[in-house]
Amino acid sequence: MRSGLECGVRWCLPGREILFPRRPLVMGIVNVNDDSFSGDGTLDISAALEQARRQSEEGADIIDVGAESARTNRAAIAVEEEVRRFRAFLEAWPEALTGAVPRDEAQVWPPVLAANTWRPEVVEKVLPLGVEFLNDMGGLPDERNARLCAEVGASLLIMHSVGEPKVPHFHQQWGDVMGAMEAFFEEKVAMATAAGLPKEALVLDPGIDFAKQRDDNLRVFREMERLQRFEVPLLVPVSRKTVIGEVLGIAEPKERDAGTVACIAAAVRRGAGILRVHDVRAAWQAVKMLAALG
């Protein structure tokens, strides 16, 4: 089984770079909110910092901090409130990580610090607070977030979707979801590089569950290897997704972790370089075992 990208790819971050192929990276999810779909969010900054430290010691190569739920049945919080939550976590993070140690020699250390947000008004305030990687679920409707990342040297994730985040797109139909995705990424990569970001600072996300139906998501998993043509790392948000619940008949997201591990294996086999998960311990065990199996 392949481990990460087959081609030689550099992922450039502020002051460091990560080279692929290598063991896939594990991205741990930390929700500084009280309405996460998986029920693991918290507004207690001390609890969020402890969760992030624990994930780091469990093997997380990236800590992905979000201050607002992506759920479409919740209104967006105020920009000021989102910034306040981010600031409280990000300013305390370096001290919270003091004394923590990596799980093994292959782990990226210190973990890459990512911010999961999409509104430029928030991005502008958050990036200077030590953020290396913008996990933008907005689909890059214009160049603003790419330009903001270029100004500080941060990496940018481009996620495939349609329409504005926080708005349900349950009835989106795709004649050819993979063909549409490839065309989408062609356009957005060109937009980001025109805004000043080097291609080596980009990451692509196929947007599992975003504006996609069950069969669309399953096809993306089967054919995501096609996205290696862009020669940038591919991040796959596999954790506890709705499509897993639909296939397995499991309504409660926290009960979908076994299905998540199956999706990790499928994604790694097809070239994923980064796996975004809630259960870091299980994901680290999965990717390390997959790498050992070859």
Side-chain angles (χ1 to χ4, degrees):
M1 180 174 290
R2 292 188 299 273
S3 177
L5 298 172
E6 287 189 308
C7 53
V9 167
R10 290 190 307 136
W11 182 28
C12 294
L13 297 151
R16 55 177 166 173
E17 66 179 23
I18 296 170
L19 302 178
F20 293 88
R22 54 149 291 143
R23 189 176 80 197
L25 306 178
V26 175
M27 172 188 262
I29 300 168
V30 177
N31 289 307
V32 187
N33 59 53
D34 58 358
D35 59 350
S36 168
F37 91 99
S38 62
D40 61 346
T42 179
L43 291 174
D44 182 334
I45 297 300
S46 295
L49 289 164
E50 176 55 34
Q51 179 186 6
R53 179 190 170 98
R54 182 175 65 254
Q55 289 183 348
S56 299
E57 295 197 308
E58 288 175 345
D61 303 283
I62 306 168
I63 297 296
D64 187 36
V65 184
E68 178 185 53
S69 171
R71 294 174 68 170
T72 56
N73 60 348
R74 301 288 191 278
I77 63 175
V79 166
E80 296 76 13
E81 175 61 14
E82 188 176 358
V83 171
R84 185 193 69 77
R85 295 178 187 179
F86 269 121
R87 186 180 298 277
F89 181 97
L90 296 172
E91 290 181 346
W93 173 239
E95 182 177 354
L97 192 60
T98 300
V101 294
R103 187 157 186 187
D104 69 3
E105 70 286 349
Q107 186 177 352
V108 175
W109 197 264
V112 174
L113 186 57
N116 189 334
T117 188
W118 57 280
R119 291 180 288 187
E121 300 87 349
V122 176
V123 173
E124 184 175 20
K125 301 290 186 182
V126 167
L127 284 183
L129 300 177
V131 171
E132 298 176 83
F133 180 28
L134 177 62
N135 183 4
D136 178 3
M137 69 174 185
L140 210 65
D142 56 53
E143 82 292 341
R144 285 180 292 172
N145 283 347
R147 176 173 46 79
L148 289 167
C149 285
E151 288 173 358
V152 299
S155 175
L156 171 67
L157 176 137
I158 303 172
M159 189 188 82
H160 177 262
S161 188
V162 298
E164 186 174 306
K166 302 289 291 179
V167 177
H169 302 286
F170 298 133
H171 304 296
Q172 174 69 30
Q173 298 295 317
W174 301 98
D176 176 6
V177 66
M178 291 305 299
M181 187 178 296
E182 289 180 281
F184 173 91
F185 283 138
E186 287 276 8
E187 175 189 350
K188 301 305 181 180
V189 167
M191 179 186 294
T193 54
L197 265 181
K199 187 176 179 182
E200 291 80 11
L202 298 178
V203 174
L204 303 184
D205 174 353
I208 302 297
D209 277 354
F210 283 83
K212 297 174 185 68
Q213 314 309 317
R214 176 184 182 274
D215 288 346
D216 298 323
N217 288 310
L218 293 175
R219 183 178 175 193
V220 171
F221 270 107
R222 294 185 188 112
E223 299 183 23
M224 69 173 64
E225 192 170 12
R226 291 168 56 172
L227 301 178
Q228 289 197 48
R229 62 182 280 255
F230 292 98
E231 298 185 330
V232 302
L234 177 63
L235 182 151
V236 184
V238 295
S239 192
R240 301 176 179 174
K241 287 291 184 173
T242 298
V243 64
I244 298 173
E246 290 173 340
V247 170
L248 300 179
I250 299 174
E252 174 54 52
K254 286 185 177 180
E255 300 300 319
R256 300 172 186 165
D257 284 344
T260 295
V261 171
C263 290
I264 286 173
V268 170
R269 187 170 68 237
R270 293 169 174 88
I274 307 171
L275 294 311
R276 183 174 183 270
V277 299
H278 296 86
D279 188 342
V280 168
R281 184 184 298 274
W284 180 88
Q285 291 178 4
V287 298
K288 183 157 186 172
M289 196 68 216
L290 289 166
L293 292 169

